[in-house]
């Protein structure tokens, strides 16, 4: 059952290549799945759209390639989906990763309606398989962007180029995790939501600034 009292949780991690953003994302995943005392409410399940085939290797798991395998992986609390088993290039159709992401969004949303607890969907460089203009966002992606909070689903998105994210998604971000970039267009894309974003142009590798739009809190941290 949908719960409209829950708050949205959309985190966008961005930074140039090698800045530390990918390390941050995988450390974050390890923390939210941990059942140690330091994490009193571990995630019920994490869903990863592994279009670069990187997450499975980093996490040391076998990726899921079919709907049945995704269902079976729910018991492990980690579903890493390789889109290129169910979806291949076909003449006259969208790229397989685009079709796969629409399917995965719809499947994840349906799964999250079945059970309680916090869930998280991770997607890297979504602009590679979602059109930049929000008016062209497929229904399944709009469903995730607009209604994920109702099923206690948080989104963790990462990118080198926040300017390439659909405006509708940028407006939905509740927390920005900013690693180094000095691209003026990327800074311009973030500035309406985090006025202090220009600081990140001077950040050393491995250092980040996190900004929570709800609390207006700003946190500076370092990975390495």
């Amino acid at each position: 059952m949908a719960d409209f009292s829950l708050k949205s949780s959309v985190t966008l991690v961005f930074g140039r290549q090698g800045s530390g953003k990918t390390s941050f994302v995988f450390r974050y995943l390890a923390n939210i799945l941990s059942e140690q005392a330091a994490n009193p409410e571990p995630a019920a399940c994490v869903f990863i759209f592994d279009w670069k085939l990187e997450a499975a290797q980093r996490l040391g798991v076998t990726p899921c390639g079919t709907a049945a395998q995704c269902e079976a992986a729910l018991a492990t609390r980690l579903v890493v989906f390789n889109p290129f088993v169910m979806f291949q290039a076909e003449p006259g159709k969208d790229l397989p990763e685009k079709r796969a992401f629409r399917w995965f969004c719809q499947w994840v949303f349906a799964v999250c309606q079945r059970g309680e607890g916090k869930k998280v969907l991770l997607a890297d460089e979504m602009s590679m398989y979602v059109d930049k203009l929000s008016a062209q966002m497929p229904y399944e992606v709009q469903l995730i962007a607009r209604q994920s909070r109702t099923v206690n689903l948080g989104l963790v998105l990462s990118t080198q180029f926040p300017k390439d994210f659909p405006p509708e998604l940028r407006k939905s971000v509740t927390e920005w995790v900013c690693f180094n970039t000095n691209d003026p267009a990327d800074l311009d894309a973030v500035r309406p939501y985090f006025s202090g974003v220009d600081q990140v142009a001077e950040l050393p590798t491995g250092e980040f600034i996190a900004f929570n739009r709800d609390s207006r809190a700003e946190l500076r941290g370092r990975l390495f």
Side-chain angles (χ1 to χ4, degrees), residues 45-181:
C45 193
V46 170
F47 306 91
I48 302 177
F49 186 69
D50 197 17
W51 73 281
K52 292 197 297 186
L53 308 180
E54 177 182 12
Q57 181 177 359
R58 280 180 171 264
L59 297 171
V61 300
T62 301
C64 303
T66 67
Q69 290 172 353
C70 288
E71 288 285 344
L74 289 171
T76 71
R77 301 170 45 232
L78 177 63
V79 180
V80 180
F81 179 56
N82 171 2
F84 302 111
V85 176
M86 290 174 60
F87 299 88
Q88 293 89 34
E90 296 184 39
K93 290 189 176 183
D94 278 342
L95 293 172
E97 52 266 39
K98 285 189 174 185
R99 290 181 282 122
F101 191 62
R102 293 198 296 268
W103 176 85
F104 195 56
C105 284
Q106 188 169 38
W107 179 82
V108 168
F109 192 84
V111 166
C112 290
Q113 291 177 300
R114 300 184 209 161
E116 298 180 353
K118 177 73 174 180
K119 284 81 68 174
V120 175
L121 169 60
L122 170 64
D124 183 32
E125 294 293 357
M126 190 187 292
S127 59
M128 296 295 293
Y129 42 90
V130 173
D131 293 324
K132 298 177 186 180
L133 298 178
S134 60
Q136 297 176 347
M137 286 174 61
Y139 164 77
E140 299 88 346
V141 181
Q142 291 188 40
L143 183 69
I144 290 288
R146 296 175 179 175
Q147 299 188 41
S148 58
R149 69 180 180 90
T150 67
V151 293
N152 206 0
L153 174 65
L155 304 182
V156 178
L157 313 172
S158 61
T159 183
Q160 291 186 50
F161 310 111
K163 67 178 181 294
D164 288 344
F165 266 60
E168 182 175 349
L169 285 175
R170 276 188 264 136
K171 292 175 184 178
S172 300
V173 172
T174 58
E175 183 174 26
W176 296 87
V177 180
C178 317
F179 286 81
N180 175 272
T181 184

